[in-house]
Amino acid sequence: MPGPLEGRVAAVTGASSGIGEATARALSTAGASVALGARRADRLEAIAQSLDGPALVREVDVAEEEQARAFIQAAHDELGGLQILVNNAGVMLLGPVADADIEDWRRMIAVNLLGLLYCTHAALPLLGEGGGGDIVNVSSVAGRRADAGAAVYNMTKFGVHAFSEALRQEALHQDIRVTTVAPGFVETELQGHNTNPLVRQVMARSREQIGQVLDADDIAEAILHAVTRPPHVCVNEVVVRPTRQAR
Ligand code: NDP
């Protein structure tokens, strides 16, 4: 029996690990042709080879406008259209504002905000020409609630929520649905990029308090649910936390 996404093309950014990898797998299993984008091309190749359906791999730094646009265009041209964009690539570099390495701020803003904007802008006309589709923006519970030690990450993810809601109101006229997905604590490589020992301690403590955190597949399922709704249903926002995560 054909899957619910048979005949559709999806582009997933940050598909080399974690939530992006799980989402690419879930969309592929549901029948979509999937374009996988990230900087680690070797990881993308290995993932693509393990998929049953058609896939395209592109080494892309979404913070570079030309690369981001070329990725979206390649997905469309080489896989035969574009119906789904999952803006998932992101980095989380935490720490107090006063002690910050300004380069970490630039990276978060460049990837979490500008990368998402470049890919979205490139995808909109392509989704429109095919009669509509889905844009899924991966935000965070940190995009709904700010906390000391996460100010700039909070700022980028609050930005994703705000942008997504405004875009939803604009894009609905072309039957383009916009969904914001806000995960709580998911076991991925994300936390490992933090070098600040205090931040690592706080994250380890929070993980311990939660107990069983989410798997990347838990979020991929939420994304799959959103993009497989009937055309008249738009899941605007999904928040998924581990049961024992309070905030
Ligand atoms: P991972 O670190 O496993 O995945 C991040 C992905 O983003 C990787 O595939 C990475 O690939 C890619 N990426 C990073 N920088 C760039 C770039 N400049 N250009 C292209 N791709 C890039 O973490 P997660 O799966 O957890 O993160 C995915 C999303 O989920 C992020 O937006 C994150 O903020 C969000 N999130 C995660 C939570 C969690 O607890 N894990 C909670 C809430 C939200 P590569 O390095 O190969 O480029």
Side-chain angles (χ1 to χ4, degrees), residues 2 37 103 107 138 187:
E103 193 45 42
R107 262 186 74 202
V138 179
E187 190 71 72

Side-chain angles (χ1 to χ4, degrees), residues 98-209:
D99 300 340
D101 176 346
I102 307 300
E103 193 45 42
D104 288 349
W105 292 358
R106 287 197 195 94
R107 262 186 74 202
M108 284 190 284
I109 290 167
V111 179
N112 302 3
L113 288 174
L114 286 174
L116 179 145
L117 295 179
Y118 299 147
C119 291
T120 300
H121 193 252
L124 279 171
L126 305 177
L127 293 166
E129 93 183 15
D134 285 281
I135 297 177
V136 179
N137 293 329
V138 179
S139 181
S140 169
V141 291
R144 307 171 80 244
R145 199 207 122 88
D147 283 295
V152 179
Y153 184 66
N154 286 140
M155 183 187 179
T156 64
K157 293 300 189 178
F158 269 71
V160 171
H161 270 82
F163 172 73
S164 302
E165 172 55 17
L167 178 68
R168 185 187 68 75
Q169 294 171 27
E170 291 182 18
L172 58 85
H173 301 290
Q174 288 179 289
D175 291 323
I176 297 171
R177 305 186 290 199
V178 180
T179 301
T180 312
V181 176
F185 203 126
V186 188
E187 190 71 72
T188 67
E189 297 174 12
L190 191 80
Q191 295 84 11
H193 300 133
N194 285 285
T195 48
N196 181 324
L198 193 64
V199 168
R200 291 179 79 97
Q201 235 175 51
V202 170
M203 281 192 305
R205 203 166 47 235
S206 132
R207 200 189 179 300
E208 210 177 286
Q209 276 166 358

